Amino acid sequence: MSQLAFWRSGSTRVLPGFGLSMGISVLFISLVLLLPITGLFGQLSELSLAEYFAIITEGRVVASYMVTIGAAAVAALVNAVFGLLLAWVLVRYEFPGKRLLDALMDLPFALPTAVAGITLATLYAGNGWVGSIIEPMGLQIAYTWVGIALAMAFTSIPFVVRTVQPVLEDLPAEVDEAAMSLGATDGVAFRRVIMPHLWPALVTGTGLAFVRSLGEFGAIIFIAGNMPYETEITALMIFVKLQEYDYAGASAIASVVLFVSLALLLAINIWQGRFVRRLHGGKG
């Protein structure tokens, strides 16, 4: 009996059967994802439609949407460029300290976001190591939207690097070498040969970084300054409502972030599926 036939025969199983595995998976998803979302909608049921729209369209809250979305977009675009560059360096080059740099890419996942926020604020404040150098030049990062974007970029950079890196590892270096041997310049080889393979992963990683930034809180509040209508983010508005014991209001604002995030994730997945089908000539 071949190995493939052996596995298909069901003579042995590494994991439980479909029924038990599916049941455990659904239970986990229900406890970790669906239950909190159900609680959120339970709080929303206390509001009328007019009250709901009054909360989510209040001037200060709308201003927080603009600050959050704008800073998240800048952070995601910056991460798209530098995340691609970092992934390229980690995959295509060998150098001392490569493993250390590779491990540092996951630091934002392991480091508490509040610690990251305090560190960034300490560095970029007027009396910090970096702030004391750049502020006399007229460049202020701490307590501005630039600081917010910086904190968002720090916490979301791994999404781009770790999404692009495995795709780049599967792409042999001989591909771009062949393009250049046929007379293509470095720019043409990258744009016409390499980038079409990396594009779906790069878009996905950038989208995930954007969605991650929308909900960031701990890394931002220490460096943002939290000035109403200027540097207040949406997550802070939710926190303020909770501090006031206005759980329904907090849930209303949180639902906006939830809907936007889910819509973006759905759009990314649909686009990815269509791209893959088109790449394979419409098959599967």
Side-chain angles (χ1 to χ4, degrees), residues 6 32 41 75 80 90 127 142 145 193 240:
F6 176 75
V32 176
F41 284 104
L90 289 172
N127 57 351
W145 74 268
V193 178
V240 169

Side-chain angles (χ1 to χ4, degrees), residues 94-211:
E94 294 294 334
F95 54 91
K98 175 180 177 178
R99 291 190 177 182
L100 176 61
L101 179 61
D102 192 30
L104 286 175
M105 292 299 100
D106 294 324
L107 181 62
F109 286 151
L111 189 69
T113 55
V115 175
I118 294 172
T119 304
L120 291 172
T122 303
L123 286 174
Y124 290 96
N127 57 351
W129 292 352
V130 179
S132 60
I133 297 174
I134 63 174
E135 286 201 5
M137 303 177 186
L139 301 174
Q140 184 177 357
I141 292 180
Y143 316 127
T144 67
W145 74 268
V146 180
I148 297 175
L150 176 65
M152 289 179 173
F154 174 81
T155 57
S156 61
I157 184 67
F159 288 97
V160 179
V161 176
R162 295 311 188 201
T163 305
V164 173
Q165 191 174 359
V167 178
L168 193 55
E169 287 174 346
D170 289 338
L171 185 65
E174 290 80 5
V175 172
D176 41 299
E177 291 173 359
M180 287 184 285
S181 68
L182 294 174
T185 62
D186 291 347
V188 172
F190 181 80
R191 187 175 68 255
R192 301 291 297 273
V193 178
I194 300 172
M195 200 59 189
H197 293 276
L198 302 181
W199 183 246
L202 182 61
V203 171
T204 300
T206 304
L208 292 175
F210 179 79
V211 173

